[in-house]
Amino acid sequence: MQFLWRLYQRRIVNVNINVAAAGFLALAPTVGIIHLLTTLTHMPEPEDMSQGQKLFINGMTFIVDIFFDVVIYYGLHWLANHSPWRSEKLADASKPQFLKDASIVQFERACLSPLFYVIALGGQNLLLQLNVNAAAATAVCFTAAILVSRVLHTLWMLRQERLARAKAAGASPDANSKAA
C-alpha cells in the first residue's frame, strides 16, 4: 500500500488519476442531465430528432461536462495535494499554491480540449446520427476522449519532467534532445 501511495505522489501519476477520475465522475451527472433533458422535454428518439435537437444535446453536454469536470478536478486535486489531513506534507516553501498548481493542469487540459471535444462531441453527434441513445453516445464518446487526452497529456508531462531535469542539471534541454 505504501508503494501505491509513493507512486501516487508523483505529479504525473497524481494528475492523471485525478483528471481521469474527474472525467469519469463528471460523466455520471452529465449523462444523468442529458437523460433528464431528453426525457423531460419529450425529445423524440434519436432516429426522429432534428439536426437542431442533436446539436442542442451536444451544446448542453459540453456545458454540463465542463462544469462538473472542472469542479470535481479542483476538489480531487485539493484532497490529494493540499488538504490538511494529508499525512506526507511537502515543505511549505516547495509546495505549490493550490490554485496555481491546479490551474496549471487546467491550462494544459484546455490546450488539449479541442481534440478532447472533437472526439467526445463529434463522436456523440456521429452516434446520434446513427440513432444511438443520447446517454449511451455520451458515455462511450467521452470515455474515448478521456483515454486519448490522458495519453497525450502524459506524453506532454513526461517531456516537461525531462526538460526540468535537464535544466536543473545545468544542461541545455536542446542539447539533450539533439543527443538522443
Side-chain angles (χ1 to χ4, degrees):
M1 190 68 166
Q2 227 175 17
F3 167 75
L4 292 176
W5 180 247
R6 279 194 313 271
L7 184 62
Y8 183 73
Q9 296 305 303
R10 288 199 59 210
R11 179 174 170 75
I12 197 164
V13 173
N14 179 298
V15 166
N16 272 304
I17 289 172
N18 289 345
V19 170
F24 286 118
L25 290 171
L27 263 178
T30 301
V31 169
I33 288 172
I34 295 307
H35 174 73
L36 283 173
L37 178 71
T38 57
T39 303
L40 294 176
T41 61
H42 304 291
M43 254 186 215
E45 291 299 314
E47 61 269 11
D48 298 325
M49 282 184 194
S50 69
Q51 184 60 29
Q53 289 170 316
K54 291 175 182 177
L55 290 174
F56 175 74
I57 290 172
N58 276 152
M60 290 304 298
T61 302
F62 177 73
I63 292 166
V64 171
D65 177 68
I66 285 178
F67 173 78
F68 283 108
D69 190 282
V70 168
V71 168
I72 292 169
Y73 176 77
Y74 273 96
L76 290 173
H77 184 81
W78 183 83
L79 283 171
N81 298 294
H82 302 276
S83 64
W85 57 265
R86 192 169 162 218
S87 61
E88 295 178 22
K89 298 208 180 276
L90 298 171
D92 286 341
S94 65
K95 187 175 181 180
Q97 291 182 353
F98 166 66
L99 282 177
K100 178 182 178 187
D101 190 32
S103 296
I104 287 169
V105 174
Q106 291 296 352
F107 172 77
E108 293 166 352
R109 292 178 71 197
C111 291
L112 293 168
S113 68
L115 176 63
F116 178 93
Y117 284 108
V118 162
I119 295 168
L121 296 176
Q124 180 193 45
N125 194 272
L126 175 67
L127 291 181
L128 287 172
Q129 298 302 327
L130 297 172
N131 301 326
V132 173
N133 173 280
T138 302
V140 168
C141 296
F142 274 74
T143 298
I146 289 168
L147 295 174
V148 169
S149 64
R150 287 301 81 231
V151 168
L152 292 175
H153 197 189
T154 299
L155 294 173
W156 184 356
M157 289 187 293
L158 285 170
R159 183 174 185 273
Q160 288 175 316
E161 281 184 1
R162 184 180 48 98
L163 292 173
R165 278 193 307 271
K167 184 177 180 182
S172 166
D174 293 332
N176 285 344
S177 62
K178 289 177 186 173

